Amino acid sequence: MILALETSCDDTCAAVVDFDGNIHSNVISSQGIHDRYGGVVPEIASRHHLELVGSVVADALARAQTTLAQMTLVAVTRGPGLVSALLVGVSTAKALAAAYRLPLAAIDHLHGHVAASFLAPEPFEPPFLSLVASGGHTLLARVRDRGPGFELLGQTLDDAAGEAFDKGARLLGLPYPGGPALERLARDGDPDAFLFPTAAKLKGLDFSFAGLKTALLYRVRGLDVAEVQRRRADLAASYQRAIVESLASRVERGLEQTRLHRLAIGGGVAANGPLRERMAGLGVELDVPPRELCTDNAAMIASAARFVPAAVYPHYLSLDVYASGERAAA
Ligand code: KG4
Ligand code: ZN
């Protein structure tokens, strides 16, 4: 049995998963307190992780009807993410593992998102193309096996897709996190009402959302207040359409380039209904993990841990976290 922790951003997560990928518990405590700031405040996130992590772990073990003594492996997200937030998870994992002299697997958060597809009851087998789109990252990867060495084909040059949702939502006066709120508002709008850019001129498989966000800003500024209010749903629907098309066009290119006919999508943005529909229409075999496995969670970290060599006690006691870009070295 694997006990996994994930604290890379603002969700305090713990899960118990077995080596066949069956989830015995998957506890996610969303902090909620960042809404009023319109984004995650790292120091507040880390303080809350510290307050919550003990009870979240206890809850995960209780719901799985097991104890720490029954675990054979501890896994934890090592990066990328907010350093002060990651440190809480890594320190806790070290302490828990050391207490029972268990091995510890340090997991890359993005490998975790990909590995959500490997969980039971219907594991999606490589090779496949993977789109991970969340608040912190947007990437396209060729996944050849279940290990951490997936091939990065493209990533965002500026904002992440979820960030584009969050920033657009903010411009439309919606609460944080913006993705779900914007999706809800867009249901009453016309996606063809406004034409927003999809970075179509950008060749290759990289993404860019900064121009889109600016386009919405100018649109909103160009309308008077009453008209913005009247056309909020149209703005939301058109803006959402541009994000979805921007993601879909890279996925189409990626499928063509790799000649793969299998696609997995993950990350918080994969919870988006119109994105799921668009991907389902591509005519390839599609894997979309359930919503709670698309957003940040610890079950995906446990899943990845099954395919990563673990460090034995006491070698992991000096393990450090990384904020970004150290995947290759990790
Ligand atoms: O993977 P995740 O939970 O955390 C990160 O690692 O970032 O992703 C959170 C992001 C947020 O930007 C949020 O607005 C977006 O995913 N998101 C959505 C939806 N649900 C969450 N975006 C669009 N539509 C949704 N339904
Ligand atoms: Zn994530």
Side-chain angles (χ1 to χ4, degrees):
M1 284 281 221
I2 306 166
L3 171 68
L5 276 77
E6 149 67 45
T7 64
S8 67
C9 192
D10 61 337
D11 295 317
T12 316
C13 316
V16 175
V17 174
D18 65 33
F19 283 87
D20 293 324
N22 297 297
I23 302 172
H24 295 253
S25 66
N26 188 24
V27 178
I28 301 166
S29 175
S30 297
Q31 300 183 353
I33 32 142
H34 303 279
D35 306 20
R36 74 192 73 156
Y37 306 108
V40 176
V41 184
E43 288 313 316
I44 296 180
S46 91
R47 245 175 284 150
H48 277 259
H49 282 311
L50 208 49
E51 279 170 21
L52 293 168
V53 73
S55 49
V56 167
V57 167
D59 200 16
L61 290 167
R63 286 192 203 190
Q65 297 182 316
T66 185
T67 60
L68 187 56
Q70 309 298 312
M71 297 298 116
T72 46
L73 176 66
V74 175
V76 65
T77 307
R78 187 184 169 203
L82 304 169
V83 165
S84 56
L86 289 161
L87 276 171
V88 177
V90 167
S91 317
T92 307
K94 281 182 194 173
L96 292 170
Y100 284 85
R101 303 292 190 259
L102 295 172
L104 183 85
I107 304 301
D108 181 87
H109 182 78
L110 303 177
H111 181 211
H113 275 300
V114 170
S117 291
F118 307 145
L119 285 161
E122 287 173 62
F124 195 63
E125 298 298 333
F128 57 78
L129 187 74
S130 169
L131 170 73
V132 178
S134 74
H137 24 261
T138 304
L139 62 92
L140 203 58
R142 181 207 289 258
V143 180
R144 289 195 168 89
D145 56 46
R146 303 202 267 185
F150 50 86
E151 182 190 349
L152 201 57
L153 300 174
Q155 53 190 324
T156 185
L157 302 177
D158 37 60
D159 292 344
E163 220 176 336
F165 269 106
D166 294 338
K167 288 179 177 173
R170 200 171 180 187
L171 285 170
L172 295 173
L174 297 168
Y176 175 87
L182 196 142
E183 181 182 353
R184 235 171 289 126
L185 176 62
R187 276 182 208 139
D188 302 322
D190 172 10
D192 295 318
F194 297 93
L195 191 62
F196 285 116
T198 58
K201 286 202 194 99
L202 189 66
K203 299 270 180 283
L205 299 175
D206 284 334
F207 305 85
S208 169
F209 296 100
L212 171 62
K213 173 196 64 192
T214 310
L216 178 64
L217 175 69
Y218 285 123
R219 267 290 179 200
V220 169
R221 276 194 193 157
L223 301 172
D224 62 48
V225 179
E227 199 162 8
V228 171
Q229 278 310 316
R230 200 170 55 77
R231 307 211 59 189
R232 264 171 97 226
D234 285 345
L235 286 163
S238 304
Y239 185 78
Q240 174 174 254
R241 156 77 62 89
I243 297 177
V244 169
E245 281 314 310
S246 182
L247 292 170
S249 61
R250 272 63 178 187
V251 167
E252 280 173 334
R253 280 184 212 161
L255 288 168
E256 229 173 75
Q257 191 174 309
T258 58
R259 297 175 193 275
L260 288 166
H261 299 284
R262 295 158 62 74
L263 170 70
I265 61 175
V269 179
N272 185 266
L275 178 70
R276 288 172 174 235
E277 278 164 35
R278 180 70 170 82
M279 296 296 163
L282 289 174
V284 294
E285 203 181 330
L286 178 67
D287 179 57
V288 193
R291 231 163 246 253
E292 68 276 13
L293 297 176
C294 281
T295 53
D296 284 353
N297 67 87
M300 70 183 195
I301 301 303
S303 178
R306 297 178 297 150
F307 311 106
V308 170
V312 295
Y313 178 85
H315 297 291
Y316 50 76
L317 292 178
S318 57
L319 183 78
D320 210 350
V321 303
Y322 56 87
S324 63
E326 282 189 38
R327 192 174 72 89

